[in-house]
Amino acid sequence: MNDFLSLAKRENNPRRNYLIVNKAQSKHTPSDPRDTVKLCAEMGGEMQRIYPKGECLTIVFAETAVGIGALAASALGERCFLISTTRERLPEYREYISFEESHSHAPVHKLCERGDIDVERFGHIFIIDDELTTGNTVKALAERLRETCAARITVHVFAASRESIAALGDIGIEVYAKYTYDMITETDFPGSFSADEPTVSSAPDISIELNSLYDIREGVPCAKYFKECERLCETITERLEDVLARVRTIEVIGTEELCLPPIVLGNMLSRRGFDVRVHGVTRSPILPSDAGNYPIKTRSVLQSLYEQERTVYLYNSVKSDLSIVITDANASTDDPAVKALCGACGGERVAFVSWRGRDMRTSLKKEDCILLLKDVTGKITPMSSEERQKLLHGGTHYCELLPEEFVPSAEYIWLYETGLKTWGRQTALAVRSVSEQILRSKGRNVVIVSLARAGTPVGVLIKRYLKRVHGISAAHYSVSIIRGRGIDKAALEYILARHSAKDIQFVDGWTGKGAITRQLAEALRDFPEIDPRPAVLADPASVCDIYGTREDVFIPCSCLNSVVSGLFSRTVLRDDIIFPGDFHGAVYFGELAPYDRTYEFIDAIEREFEKLPPYSPNECAAPAGDGLEETRRIAKEFGVSDLNLVKPSIGEATRVLLRRTPELILLRKLDNPLTLHLAELAKEKSVPVREYPLTCYQAVGIIKN
């Protein structure tokens, strides 16, 4: 068509047999990223001219326009909110509108609707695609947008048919296109096409895990998104410094809807003098041919890294010294699909970059909880109580060590199961009470942020209660908070990239002396827009505004560690395994899978919801802080100089017996059914137990000074 645009033959698509290939788009065919940036800057300049000031929304079409559209929108800076349509599954908690691209091989597009974003504040909506043929897809989207928003809509593309421009003009939408053409009715394709490239399996030579916080599919502040892309691409170049010293030519490949980071990285490397070409794995099936100027010369047929059932393609692999693959799929380097993609690359060496690391392994279902943790399994060795105790007494912080997790004894399992039967209804009552208070406080857009690990199963139960009783699909994340080190700020930034701060509700299991409650308030001084008050099932310390009960009750999930909490460890923070920008870490105890009781506990409590009497709202009493005073009295009486060595409440006493060897366990009553499991654990560890007139608590553990 011209120096930049040409036609290629779609495979098995009766709706439209051609695809317009943009040679400067860094997608279907390898492009010089400098050309891509230049073209997008021209489009961005036009957008600035049309809407020089005021907040605006930019929508880019997946998958081919995500990179170029985001680049163009960067000209609008901080006043632009940027979002791409997607064909991937959006999270359960997201609402979306859907519309069709009728001529596509995958016609259904989804556009995420952010309930926390006021669309009326946008004075202008930009829609960006690579090309328009009929304009029907844009028309379908615009009709949906106009149902809720009165902003002016303009469309920006590299190429558009005159018919599409006229059709959109008829409904009051202007189209700005660098190239225009008459409707294509006949095409002259080669008489024969080439065979696909043979599939070769090859593990990457280099593996890099990053921790991007933003996802354009859920919407991002444009300036922050670009800043993060640039920062992470700089990190890639730093990690590859030794390799880059020995190469001249580089191929950069993005996967499917992840289009912008490869262009940003390619442009960064071009400025350093490397000969770079950028393109991407795509869902578009195009036939290859080595005839003349036909744009698609070679084709590798691959399995998607996002969905195993999906077939994808890589065209025109570039013979080069180094290939860099960037993906935001949760794919391991051992995955056959990853090895096939690396084998299809043109580089003599291949670097595989996981743009948002790997998901933390867990037995928890993703629809129940998203763990914002870095999987450090195999990088830190769990220690016995005796080994840890020596290091802790020597000044090592507890977050740098990991306790061994054991297979619960038959006696202990019997006590847990008995406790679940006996106290399951009381736990369900507490879940209901705290869930209703959270809903009243935060509303239907509530975002549950549980504190790993004790708060995680509680957060799952609250999420399930809200779904079952109120039909609310609440987002639920679990994040790390560490006494003396603070909350995981990278995890908080991840959540704030997706949700409004006012909707966040922190959740924990219970309170001991309120240390984590105070730690949370202190840690959130850098996030003043977030409510720091946690909600808990049991608040014997009387430090929380939102709670299920102020009694020190037996919560069954408090007494089995990982085997009732998704098989992951308590969180760790050590600078030799947790790097800047990483989430705090945890270990997956896969060897304990045969003993996993996580869903036995969750499902048992959820079944109790159906049996509860009608709910009667009640006002929470103001926190009095009595628990801390009792803890201080106990510390003084038993000569404990460090208050952190006194562990009040059933939950805290249980955890100290599981993780360490305390000097003494205090029980309000020796024969109390609530604390039978503590007596059993203490017996197993030869820890003395003493009856003591506790007021706020049923149990207290004391660690040796």
Side-chain angles (χ1 to χ4, degrees), residues 327-340:
T327 186
D328 60 354
N330 182 37
S332 163
T333 53
D334 296 328
D335 190 326
V338 170
K339 291 182 177 180

Side-chain angles (χ1 to χ4, degrees), residues 30 49 107 113 141 163 199 204-205 226 257 259 274 288 314 342 401 419 454 463 484 500 519 550 644 692 695 704:
R49 184 190 65 78
E113 285 191 305
L141 174 58
E163 290 84 352
T199 302
D205 302 285
F226 265 83
E257 294 178 2
C259 301
F274 294 100
L314 181 68
C342 292
L401 308 171
K463 176 182 172 67
S500 173
Q519 179 73 75
R550 284 261 164 85
N644 289 322
Y692 184 86
T695 303
K704 188 175 181 180

